[in-house]
Each structure stands twice: as structure tokens, then as C-alpha cells.
Short mmCIF file of all heavy atoms in Angstrom, two decimals:
data_model
loop_
_atom_site.label_atom_id
_atom_site.label_comp_id
_atom_site.label_asym_id
_atom_site.label_seq_id
_atom_site.Cartn_x
_atom_site.Cartn_y
_atom_site.Cartn_z
N VAL A 1 -12.74 17.80 -16.62
CA VAL A 1 -11.61 17.54 -15.71
C VAL A 1 -11.37 16.04 -15.70
O VAL A 1 -12.25 15.25 -15.33
CB VAL A 1 -11.90 18.04 -14.28
CG1 VAL A 1 -10.72 17.68 -13.37
CG2 VAL A 1 -12.16 19.54 -14.30
N ILE A 2 -10.25 15.72 -16.21
CA ILE A 2 -9.90 14.29 -16.25
C ILE A 2 -8.91 14.01 -15.12
O ILE A 2 -7.77 14.50 -15.13
CB ILE A 2 -9.28 13.89 -17.60
CG1 ILE A 2 -10.27 14.20 -18.73
CG2 ILE A 2 -8.88 12.42 -17.62
CD1 ILE A 2 -9.70 13.98 -20.10
N ASN A 3 -9.40 13.28 -14.11
CA ASN A 3 -8.55 12.98 -12.96
C ASN A 3 -7.54 11.89 -13.33
O ASN A 3 -7.87 10.90 -13.98
CB ASN A 3 -9.40 12.50 -11.78
CG ASN A 3 -10.32 13.60 -11.25
OD1 ASN A 3 -9.92 14.77 -11.20
ND2 ASN A 3 -11.54 13.24 -10.88
N ALA A 4 -6.33 12.11 -12.90
CA ALA A 4 -5.32 11.05 -13.08
C ALA A 4 -5.65 9.87 -12.19
O ALA A 4 -6.20 10.01 -11.08
CB ALA A 4 -3.93 11.60 -12.73
N LEU A 5 -5.34 8.70 -12.67
CA LEU A 5 -5.59 7.50 -11.84
C LEU A 5 -4.58 7.43 -10.70
O LEU A 5 -3.38 7.65 -10.90
CB LEU A 5 -5.50 6.24 -12.70
CG LEU A 5 -6.63 6.03 -13.71
CD1 LEU A 5 -6.34 4.79 -14.54
CD2 LEU A 5 -7.97 5.93 -13.01
N PRO A 6 -5.05 7.11 -9.52
CA PRO A 6 -4.11 6.98 -8.40
C PRO A 6 -3.29 5.70 -8.56
O PRO A 6 -3.70 4.74 -9.22
CB PRO A 6 -5.01 6.89 -7.18
CG PRO A 6 -6.27 6.28 -7.70
CD PRO A 6 -6.42 6.82 -9.10
N THR A 7 -2.11 5.73 -8.01
CA THR A 7 -1.25 4.54 -7.99
C THR A 7 -0.83 4.26 -6.56
O THR A 7 -0.98 5.09 -5.66
CB THR A 7 0.00 4.73 -8.87
OG1 THR A 7 0.71 5.88 -8.39
CG2 THR A 7 -0.39 4.94 -10.33
N VAL A 8 -0.27 3.05 -6.35
CA VAL A 8 0.19 2.66 -5.02
C VAL A 8 1.56 2.05 -5.15
O VAL A 8 1.86 1.32 -6.11
CB VAL A 8 -0.79 1.67 -4.36
CG1 VAL A 8 -0.92 0.38 -5.15
CG2 VAL A 8 -0.36 1.35 -2.92
N ASN A 9 2.42 2.41 -4.22
CA ASN A 9 3.72 1.76 -4.19
C ASN A 9 3.54 0.27 -3.90
O ASN A 9 2.68 -0.13 -3.11
CB ASN A 9 4.61 2.37 -3.11
CG ASN A 9 5.16 3.73 -3.52
OD1 ASN A 9 5.50 3.93 -4.69
ND2 ASN A 9 5.23 4.65 -2.58
N ASN A 10 4.35 -0.53 -4.53
CA ASN A 10 4.29 -1.97 -4.28
C ASN A 10 4.96 -2.24 -2.93
O ASN A 10 6.18 -2.12 -2.80
CB ASN A 10 5.00 -2.73 -5.39
CG ASN A 10 4.79 -4.23 -5.26
OD1 ASN A 10 3.92 -4.67 -4.54
ND2 ASN A 10 5.61 -4.99 -5.96
N PRO A 11 4.17 -2.57 -1.90
CA PRO A 11 4.80 -2.80 -0.59
C PRO A 11 5.79 -3.96 -0.65
O PRO A 11 5.68 -4.86 -1.49
CB PRO A 11 3.61 -3.14 0.33
CG PRO A 11 2.41 -2.62 -0.39
CD PRO A 11 2.73 -2.76 -1.84
N THR A 12 6.76 -3.95 0.23
CA THR A 12 7.79 -4.99 0.25
C THR A 12 7.21 -6.29 0.79
O THR A 12 6.52 -6.32 1.82
CB THR A 12 8.97 -4.56 1.14
OG1 THR A 12 9.49 -3.32 0.64
CG2 THR A 12 10.07 -5.62 1.13
N ASP A 13 7.49 -7.37 0.06
CA ASP A 13 7.07 -8.69 0.56
C ASP A 13 7.73 -8.97 1.90
O ASP A 13 8.86 -8.54 2.17
CB ASP A 13 7.46 -9.79 -0.43
CG ASP A 13 6.64 -9.71 -1.72
OD1 ASP A 13 5.59 -9.06 -1.71
OD2 ASP A 13 7.09 -10.31 -2.73
N LEU A 14 7.01 -9.72 2.74
CA LEU A 14 7.49 -10.02 4.09
C LEU A 14 7.68 -11.52 4.27
O LEU A 14 6.87 -12.32 3.79
CB LEU A 14 6.50 -9.52 5.14
CG LEU A 14 6.22 -8.02 5.19
CD1 LEU A 14 5.12 -7.74 6.20
CD2 LEU A 14 7.48 -7.26 5.54
N THR A 15 8.74 -11.89 4.97
CA THR A 15 8.95 -13.28 5.38
C THR A 15 9.23 -13.29 6.88
O THR A 15 10.15 -12.62 7.36
CB THR A 15 10.13 -13.93 4.64
OG1 THR A 15 9.85 -13.94 3.23
CG2 THR A 15 10.34 -15.37 5.10
N VAL A 16 8.40 -14.03 7.62
CA VAL A 16 8.54 -14.07 9.08
C VAL A 16 8.41 -15.52 9.54
O VAL A 16 8.05 -16.42 8.77
CB VAL A 16 7.46 -13.21 9.77
CG1 VAL A 16 7.63 -11.74 9.41
CG2 VAL A 16 6.06 -13.71 9.41
N CYS A 17 8.72 -15.74 10.80
CA CYS A 17 8.51 -17.05 11.42
C CYS A 17 7.18 -17.07 12.14
O CYS A 17 6.66 -16.01 12.55
CB CYS A 17 9.64 -17.36 12.41
SG CYS A 17 11.26 -17.57 11.64
N GLY A 18 6.62 -18.23 12.28
CA GLY A 18 5.38 -18.37 13.03
C GLY A 18 5.50 -17.78 14.42
O GLY A 18 6.56 -17.85 15.06
N ASN A 19 4.41 -17.19 14.89
CA ASN A 19 4.34 -16.58 16.22
C ASN A 19 5.18 -15.32 16.34
O ASN A 19 5.38 -14.82 17.45
CB ASN A 19 4.73 -17.56 17.33
CG ASN A 19 3.70 -18.64 17.54
OD1 ASN A 19 2.52 -18.43 17.27
ND2 ASN A 19 4.12 -19.79 18.01
N GLU A 20 5.67 -14.79 15.24
CA GLU A 20 6.40 -13.52 15.29
C GLU A 20 5.46 -12.37 14.93
O GLU A 20 4.54 -12.53 14.13
CB GLU A 20 7.58 -13.53 14.32
CG GLU A 20 8.74 -14.39 14.78
CD GLU A 20 9.96 -14.23 13.87
OE1 GLU A 20 9.91 -13.38 12.95
OE2 GLU A 20 10.94 -14.97 14.09
N SER A 21 5.76 -11.21 15.50
CA SER A 21 4.96 -10.02 15.18
C SER A 21 5.32 -9.51 13.79
O SER A 21 6.49 -9.51 13.39
CB SER A 21 5.21 -8.92 16.20
OG SER A 21 4.72 -9.32 17.46
N VAL A 22 4.29 -9.09 13.07
CA VAL A 22 4.48 -8.55 11.73
C VAL A 22 4.29 -7.03 11.80
O VAL A 22 3.26 -6.56 12.29
CB VAL A 22 3.48 -9.18 10.74
CG1 VAL A 22 3.64 -8.55 9.35
CG2 VAL A 22 3.69 -10.69 10.66
N ALA A 23 5.30 -6.31 11.34
CA ALA A 23 5.20 -4.85 11.36
C ALA A 23 4.07 -4.39 10.45
O ALA A 23 3.71 -5.05 9.47
CB ALA A 23 6.52 -4.23 10.92
N ALA A 24 3.48 -3.24 10.78
CA ALA A 24 2.36 -2.72 10.00
C ALA A 24 2.77 -2.52 8.54
O ALA A 24 3.85 -2.04 8.24
CB ALA A 24 1.89 -1.40 10.59
N ILE A 25 1.87 -2.95 7.65
CA ILE A 25 2.08 -2.72 6.22
C ILE A 25 1.49 -1.35 5.88
O ILE A 25 0.29 -1.12 6.07
CB ILE A 25 1.39 -3.81 5.39
CG1 ILE A 25 1.96 -5.19 5.79
CG2 ILE A 25 1.59 -3.56 3.91
CD1 ILE A 25 1.20 -6.34 5.16
N VAL A 26 2.33 -0.44 5.43
CA VAL A 26 1.90 0.93 5.15
C VAL A 26 1.81 1.12 3.64
O VAL A 26 2.73 0.79 2.90
CB VAL A 26 2.87 1.95 5.76
CG1 VAL A 26 2.43 3.38 5.42
CG2 VAL A 26 2.97 1.74 7.27
N PHE A 27 0.67 1.70 3.18
CA PHE A 27 0.47 1.96 1.76
C PHE A 27 0.78 3.43 1.48
O PHE A 27 0.50 4.32 2.30
CB PHE A 27 -0.97 1.66 1.36
CG PHE A 27 -1.39 0.24 1.65
CD1 PHE A 27 -2.51 -0.03 2.43
CD2 PHE A 27 -0.65 -0.82 1.16
CE1 PHE A 27 -2.89 -1.32 2.69
CE2 PHE A 27 -1.03 -2.12 1.42
CZ PHE A 27 -2.15 -2.38 2.20
N SER A 28 1.35 3.66 0.32
CA SER A 28 1.60 5.06 -0.09
C SER A 28 1.42 5.15 -1.61
O SER A 28 1.51 4.16 -2.32
CB SER A 28 3.02 5.50 0.31
OG SER A 28 4.00 4.70 -0.35
N SER A 29 1.18 6.39 -2.06
CA SER A 29 0.94 6.62 -3.48
C SER A 29 2.08 7.46 -4.04
O SER A 29 2.36 8.56 -3.54
CB SER A 29 -0.39 7.36 -3.68
OG SER A 29 -0.58 7.69 -5.03
N PRO A 30 2.76 6.96 -5.07
CA PRO A 30 3.90 7.74 -5.61
C PRO A 30 3.48 9.07 -6.21
O PRO A 30 4.26 10.02 -6.21
CB PRO A 30 4.50 6.80 -6.66
CG PRO A 30 3.38 5.87 -7.04
CD PRO A 30 2.57 5.70 -5.80
N ASN A 31 2.26 9.17 -6.75
CA ASN A 31 1.83 10.45 -7.27
C ASN A 31 0.93 11.22 -6.32
O ASN A 31 0.29 12.20 -6.69
CB ASN A 31 1.11 10.27 -8.61
CG ASN A 31 -0.09 9.34 -8.50
OD1 ASN A 31 -0.47 8.95 -7.39
ND2 ASN A 31 -0.69 9.01 -9.64
N SER A 32 0.90 10.69 -5.09
CA SER A 32 0.17 11.36 -3.99
C SER A 32 -1.30 11.58 -4.29
O SER A 32 -1.94 12.47 -3.71
CB SER A 32 0.83 12.71 -3.63
OG SER A 32 2.17 12.51 -3.25
N LEU A 33 -1.86 10.84 -5.23
CA LEU A 33 -3.26 11.03 -5.56
C LEU A 33 -4.18 10.18 -4.69
O LEU A 33 -5.32 10.55 -4.43
CB LEU A 33 -3.49 10.70 -7.03
CG LEU A 33 -2.88 11.67 -8.05
CD1 LEU A 33 -3.16 11.17 -9.46
CD2 LEU A 33 -3.48 13.07 -7.85
N ALA A 34 -3.68 9.03 -4.28
CA ALA A 34 -4.55 8.10 -3.56
C ALA A 34 -4.95 8.69 -2.21
O ALA A 34 -4.12 9.24 -1.47
CB ALA A 34 -3.86 6.76 -3.36
N THR A 35 -6.22 8.66 -1.95
CA THR A 35 -6.73 9.13 -0.66
C THR A 35 -7.16 7.99 0.25
O THR A 35 -7.37 8.19 1.44
CB THR A 35 -7.92 10.08 -0.88
OG1 THR A 35 -8.92 9.40 -1.65
CG2 THR A 35 -7.46 11.34 -1.64
N SER A 36 -7.30 6.80 -0.33
CA SER A 36 -7.65 5.63 0.49
C SER A 36 -7.26 4.38 -0.28
O SER A 36 -6.96 4.42 -1.48
CB SER A 36 -9.15 5.61 0.81
OG SER A 36 -9.92 5.42 -0.37
N TYR A 37 -7.26 3.26 0.44
CA TYR A 37 -6.86 2.00 -0.16
C TYR A 37 -7.81 0.91 0.32
O TYR A 37 -8.22 0.88 1.49
CB TYR A 37 -5.43 1.62 0.26
CG TYR A 37 -4.42 2.70 -0.03
CD1 TYR A 37 -4.13 3.69 0.91
CD2 TYR A 37 -3.74 2.74 -1.25
CE1 TYR A 37 -3.20 4.67 0.67
CE2 TYR A 37 -2.81 3.73 -1.52
CZ TYR A 37 -2.54 4.70 -0.56
OH TYR A 37 -1.62 5.68 -0.81
N GLN A 38 -8.17 0.07 -0.57
CA GLN A 38 -8.93 -1.12 -0.21
C GLN A 38 -8.01 -2.33 -0.36
O GLN A 38 -7.27 -2.44 -1.34
CB GLN A 38 -10.15 -1.29 -1.14
CG GLN A 38 -11.19 -0.20 -1.01
CD GLN A 38 -11.99 -0.33 0.29
OE1 GLN A 38 -12.17 -1.42 0.79
NE2 GLN A 38 -12.44 0.80 0.81
N TRP A 39 -8.05 -3.22 0.61
CA TRP A 39 -7.18 -4.41 0.52
C TRP A 39 -7.99 -5.66 0.82
O TRP A 39 -9.00 -5.63 1.53
CB TRP A 39 -5.98 -4.30 1.46
CG TRP A 39 -6.33 -4.05 2.91
CD1 TRP A 39 -6.39 -2.85 3.53
CD2 TRP A 39 -6.68 -5.03 3.89
NE1 TRP A 39 -6.75 -2.97 4.85
CE2 TRP A 39 -6.92 -4.33 5.10
CE3 TRP A 39 -6.81 -6.41 3.89
CZ2 TRP A 39 -7.31 -4.98 6.27
CZ3 TRP A 39 -7.17 -7.05 5.06
CH2 TRP A 39 -7.41 -6.34 6.23
#
């Protein structure tokens, strides 16, 4: 059984001002294989 390698969508780069809240960065897998992510 040869497992396909998981992939991750390239999250959108963010530009914010100092002291502003940054929305949560959400990771997703286009082939739905990824079960976890290390960052």
C-alpha cells in the first residue's frame, strides 16, 4: 500500500498593522489526506 503524500493549501499571506488582531490561520489539504500539520 503506497500512501499518497499529503499536501497543504498555501495559506494567504497577511499584512496587518501593529497592535491589530490577526485572524486565525487555517490549514487545509486539497487532497484531504493531511490529518495534522506541523508549523
Side-chain angles (χ1 to χ4, degrees):
V1 177
I2 301 174
N3 294 322
L5 290 177
T7 58
V8 61
N9 284 322
N10 188 16
T12 303
D13 291 342
L14 298 175
T15 299
V16 296
C17 294
N19 289 333
E20 286 187 5
S21 294
V22 177
I25 301 172
V26 178
F27 302 125
S28 62
S29 175
N31 58 8
S32 301
L33 290 178
T35 56
S36 66
Y37 306 90
Q38 295 287 330
W39 55 266

